[in-house]
Amino acid sequence: MSEFSRKGFSGATVERIAAEAGMSKSNLLYYFFSSKEAIYSATLAHILEVWLAPLKNAQSARRSGAGACRLYPPEDRNVGEISGSFASLCK
């Protein structure tokens, strides 16, 4: 995930992603993902799952706005482009 964060989709390489995961490019692509696009999609799906879980809990607890914001620790409130919208919610 950090490779995409640092370099963006275009700048990220499967070689560096595999190295971060502690495996070879061929193992990463043969056993786990079919392409860089598949790795990126899985990364985004994971991020959304992590981010939406507290909001789903907040919704079920009938919290909204800043109440939902408190469910996220400060270090998790700053994820890429999402942070601008989220930061305005947390004020």
Side-chain angles (χ1 to χ4, degrees), residues 2-80:
S2 61
E3 178 68 11
F4 289 122
S5 295
R6 285 190 313 270
K7 303 287 184 173
F9 179 80
S10 297
T13 67
V14 176
E15 290 85 359
R16 287 191 298 249
I17 295 166
E20 283 184 13
M23 64 179 66
S24 69
K25 174 185 171 181
S26 58
N27 282 345
L28 181 66
L29 293 176
Y30 185 80
Y31 292 108
F32 298 100
F33 298 98
S34 58
S35 64
K36 182 169 86 169
E37 290 82 3
I39 298 168
Y40 190 66
S41 292
T43 301
L44 292 178
H46 175 72
I47 290 169
L48 285 174
E49 183 180 318
V50 168
W51 266 74
L52 292 177
L55 292 177
K56 288 178 184 176
N57 293 338
Q59 186 178 23
S60 67
R62 304 219 186 274
R63 288 184 179 168
S64 63
C69 176
R70 286 189 292 271
L71 296 171
Y72 292 98
E75 63 273 10
D76 290 344
R77 295 180 192 165
N78 190 19
V79 177

